[in-house]
Amino acid sequence: GAVVSQHPSRVICKSGTSVKIECRSLDFQATTMFWYRQFPKKSLMLMATSNEGSKATYEQGVEKDKFLINHASLTLSTLTVTSAHPEDSSFYICSARDSRGTYEQYFGPGTRLTVT
Amino acid sequence: SQQGEEDPQALSIQEGENATMNCSYKTSINNLQWYRQNSGRGLVHLILIRSNEREKHSGRLRVTLDTSKKSSSLLITASRAADTASYFCATWGTGGFKTIFGAGTRLFVKA
């Protein structure tokens, strides 16, 4: 089956620094990738839709200058949390939709970000 | 949640019993999916039901969809302790190419 990887799986950074999270589709091409955020014991909240070669579409309330998304190729999207603060600590999950147009999304294993 | 609510929020049952979880959503959909998530882990896709389908089965899972009521249910039969996890419904709407998640149900199956 289709596989989506995320790197790193866990990251700890200091307040004020930036951290980049990578999302890769390993065996398929994805023109569209999605970034979600999940707080403990809560559901996944869609942050933004990332389209290859164009600007990401952010959901209401998500700061685009805070969460920079780049989708430079059909297999890679990155999320950069800029000037991180402790409240940015969360579980970030990406997903990718197969470019062949099937409805199913494939989810990455998630990245646990802790900002100290 | 961004899309709708799930009911119940938490469910505790004995091994061997059936578990039913319900999901309501707000917008028109192309399909609805159910996912499972073990604590602190990624999502596992369980089943997808299209808007023109009413019921679907996969092993011990049975999913129903009622588009007139904008609701779906997930039934896990003969539950096992290993079924303990959070279960989320997610919808792919007709108005936008994105998947939105419900609030989730935390299922605990006691051995």
Side-chain angles (χ1 to χ4, degrees):
Chain A
V3 177
V4 174
S5 70
Q6 279 185 244
H7 177 80
S9 58
R10 289 178 177 268
V11 58
I12 301 173
C13 71
K14 293 185 177 180
S15 288
T17 62
S18 296
V19 61
K20 180 185 288 187
I21 303 169
E22 292 186 348
C23 176
R24 292 181 186 274
S25 56
L26 298 185
D27 50 4
F28 66 98
Q29 294 185 330
T31 53
T32 305
M33 291 185 172
F34 304 88
W35 287 96
Y36 294 84
R37 179 176 183 175
Q38 185 179 33
F39 291 103
K41 299 181 181 178
K42 297 293 184 182
S43 185
L44 282 74
M45 182 190 77
L46 179 65
M47 299 174 66
T49 301
S50 167
N51 297 298
E52 187 266 336
S54 65
K55 291 183 179 180
T57 302
Y58 290 81
E59 295 298 305
Q60 193 172 12
V62 178
E63 299 175 63
K64 58 183 179 182
D65 295 331
K66 171 77 171 174
F67 299 99
L68 300 179
I69 291 172
N70 183 277
H71 191 159
S73 78
L74 287 172
T75 60
L76 172 65
S77 176
T78 60
L79 168 68
T80 301
V81 182
T82 63
S83 187
H85 289 279
E87 56 263 33
D88 298 326
S89 298
S90 195
F91 194 51
Y92 292 88
I93 301 175
C94 74
S95 73
R97 177 164 291 146
D98 194 319
S99 294
R100 290 170 295 181
T102 58
Y103 291 161
E104 189 170 339
Q105 282 181 232
Y106 303 99
F107 284 82
T111 296
R112 175 79 55 194
L113 170 63
T114 303
V115 184
T116 61
Chain B
S1 71
Q2 290 175 304
Q3 171 60 297
E5 298 304 317
E6 280 173 72
D7 162 42
Q9 293 185 346
L11 180 61
S12 182
I13 59 175
Q14 291 291 140
E15 208 167 29
E17 294 180 340
N18 295 340
T20 299
M21 288 160 271
N22 302 298
C23 162
S24 62
Y25 55 92
K26 299 175 182 174
T27 62
S28 297
I29 63 170
N30 279 305
N31 66 73
L32 184 144
Q33 302 162 57
W34 283 90
Y35 291 87
R36 166 198 167 120
Q37 184 182 37
N38 287 76
S39 181
R41 308 294 292 274
L43 294 170
V44 174
H45 181 264
L46 296 177
I47 197 166
L48 179 151
I49 185 165
R50 302 189 192 284
S51 60
N52 61 353
E53 298 175 311
R54 292 296 168 257
E55 187 171 315
K56 207 162 183 179
H57 297 254
S58 177
R60 293 185 295 115
L61 306 180
R62 172 177 169 256
V63 169
T64 62
L65 179 64
D66 187 336
T67 52
S68 66
K69 295 181 180 178
K70 291 187 168 59
S71 67
S72 174
S73 68
L74 170 67
L75 169 66
I76 303 174
T77 60
S79 64
R80 306 165 182 167
D83 294 329
T84 295
S86 290
Y87 292 83
F88 297 95
C89 71
T91 55
W92 197 65
T94 57
F97 295 92
K98 55 189 178 183
T99 297
I100 302 295
F101 282 80
T105 294
R106 295 172 64 198
L107 174 65
F108 181 65
V109 182
K110 294 177 280 187

